[in-house]
Amino acid sequence: MCDSQAEAVCAGAPAPPLAKPRVIPARDPPTLQLARWYAATIPTSHGGILTRALAGPCPLTALHHVKRIRRHPQDAAALQILVCPVPDGEGLPEGVSAIVQEHSLSLSEVGVPELAPATRADWAGWGAHWPLTWRAPDPQLQPEHVALDPAEETAMRQHLAAVVVRADACGANVCAVVDPFTGAFVDKVLACCTAAPDVHPLQHAVMLAVEAVAAGQRARLQQEEGGSAQDGCPKRPRLAEDIMLHGAPCPYLCTGYDVYLAVEPCIMCAMALVHSRARRVIFCDADAAGGALGGTGGLRLQAERSLNHHYHVYHLARACGHA
Amino acid sequence: MAPSRRASPDHRRCTFEAVPPGYDSCPPLEAGLDSHYMRLALDQAHKAASKGEVPIGAVLAAADGSLLASAHNEVEATGDPTAHAEMLCLRRAAGVAPSWRMPAATLYVTVEPCAMCAGGALAARLAAVVYGARSPLMGADGSWVRGGVLADECQRLMVEFFRARRRGEVRGPPGAGSPVQREAS
């Protein structure tokens, strides 16, 4: 740690200009890929019968978002029904070919969007190939969950600039844990890590910051309770992000806090922030070698669905012209 | 970590599985030695359970067989979500081992380490990590991690602990500074 040194060194250092915040989503939004399917033109009266008949041998299990039937583009009195995927080389599946023969269907090839659209605009556009049903996509991909209002973005820039200035002065990564409801540095958590052999390998900036937050909360809780050691623990709500608004001494771990980093965290630090229940992780420099949040397109811990917490990740690169 | 590992609802109900026989890709160096150290880790895990901590224990063994550190989960007592048994072992060993690089040391832990602890083990350049029960949701098993040592016993300890906690029979450590409630470490 080198808080006091950094304070002295970077007192007059100018803040580096930062690019616009870029959200690194857990998953990239789907792109339009067309699967080749056989469709048959049928009279409107046969729609129900054939839909039920085809549900057995060829259900649309992988294509939940696709409608089985559409009105024929050229003939208002006819329908088109999806029969089965275009087989590779061999003939039609047994159950399907029986239905095709029974109703003497003539098959033509159509393209069907393989992935469900993530936005209403995509849904409308992709629907030109084949009609799709609209389903609300993964909330993590919803723009309103990750969009910033101008005040938030300004605060984000200020906090990150302070962290970057400090990191440049120290020559090591810096982590700040920020309570966005008050806009102040929580417990003045600032830590630097260096890779010198006399420093412990686990003393990364994030680990020190998480430890420091825990120590601060421990002290505050003991103070609040006046040292009354009760039988067992007083319960704290686990997941309430608005807990600060209800006058509780502190949230569960880092719930609702934003974490600012000069350099993208490694897998150890990224997972420590999952354990800490951080709300957002914001970093400046991507780390191609060890970064775990997809700064350069590699590993993305926030995409791991099996974990019990997920934070949003923002990347504010240095604006052009600055190393 | 395995990016394709998906959690089904059933998976979520049983978080700690025993490793099926023949699962481990690297053969154990000495089976007897592995279970000896895993017993020591289990002792730590039992100690954690008695304090109301999530019952996971770890020991760090040097190449010559000496014990560099042993620890159990202390998340409840410290309120620090990074106070996992593995991390505490690595922190404590730094004061004992000649260098923070411990390329000959092996970490024994009763439950498959999470990505943080596996990352910590990488940062400390450990030779190997050996675990007991699998943790399909949180675990970060890779090729150099060896699993399945005393798996049933490690698993039973976790399952029984959480069953008791759901019934309200286990409470947090009395008088501890932090009142955190955790489901899994």
Side-chain angles (χ1 to χ4, degrees), chain A residues 210 214-215 217-218 221 233 236 238 252-253 272 275-277, chain B residues 48 51-56 71-88 91-92 114 116-117 165 172-173 176-185:
Chain A
V210 167
Q217 290 184 339
R218 213 159 49 227
L221 277 165
C233 291
R236 274 198 288 177
R238 301 192 77 228
Y252 176 73
L253 306 175
H275 287 312
S276 304
R277 310 290 196 272
Chain B
K51 294 178 185 171
E53 298 277 355
V54 172
I56 299 177
H72 59 72
N73 212 351
E74 290 181 12
V75 170
E76 303 281 348
T78 57
D80 179 357
T82 66
H84 289 190
E86 304 94 310
M87 299 299 277
L88 295 176
R91 281 178 203 166
R92 284 169 196 173
C114 72
M116 174 182 72
C117 299
R165 195 151 95 169
S178 163
V180 290
Q181 295 283 313
R182 291 175 59 84
E183 280 305 312
S185 71

Side-chain angles (χ1 to χ4, degrees), chain A residues 119-140:
Chain A
T119 62
R120 293 290 288 198
D122 275 354
W123 169 76
W126 298 4
H129 296 274
W130 191 271
L132 308 172
T133 50
W134 171 250
R135 282 163 191 266
D138 193 321
Q140 289 220 7

Side-chain angles (χ1 to χ4, degrees), chain B residues 13-63:
Chain B
R13 237 169 273 137
C14 173
T15 313
F16 301 96
E17 310 180 324
V19 178
Y23 169 83
D24 28 348
S25 48
C26 7
L29 295 174
E30 286 175 53
L33 210 59
D34 271 358
S35 48
H36 166 71
Y37 286 115
M38 193 56 81
R39 285 248 164 265
L40 297 179
L42 263 169
D43 289 347
Q44 289 288 328
H46 281 290
K47 215 181 280 179
S50 68
K51 294 178 185 171
E53 298 277 355
V54 172
I56 299 177
V59 297
L60 190 62

Side-chain angles (χ1 to χ4, degrees), chain A residues 237-254:
Chain A
R238 301 192 77 228
L239 292 170
E241 226 173 78
D242 59 348
I243 187 165
M244 270 80 77
L245 306 174
H246 295 110
C250 51
Y252 176 73
L253 306 175
C254 294

Side-chain angles (χ1 to χ4, degrees), chain A residues 95-184:
Chain A
V96 174
S97 62
I99 295 168
V100 168
Q101 279 171 8
E102 189 190 333
H103 295 270
S104 52
L105 303 175
S106 66
L107 303 178
S108 59
E109 220 176 286
V110 292
V112 175
E114 204 163 12
L115 302 171
T119 62
R120 293 290 288 198
D122 275 354
W123 169 76
W126 298 4
H129 296 274
W130 191 271
L132 308 172
T133 50
W134 171 250
R135 282 163 191 266
D138 193 321
Q140 289 220 7
L141 285 177
Q142 293 287 69
E144 62 263 31
H145 282 263
V146 287
L148 300 167
D149 62 39
E152 263 184 317
E153 191 179 323
T154 310
M156 190 181 267
R157 282 171 181 286
Q158 280 172 357
H159 286 307
L160 190 60
V163 163
V164 169
V165 165
R166 205 163 274 233
D168 289 348
C170 296
N173 198 3
V174 172
C175 172
V177 180
V178 174
D179 177 354
F181 290 91
T182 61

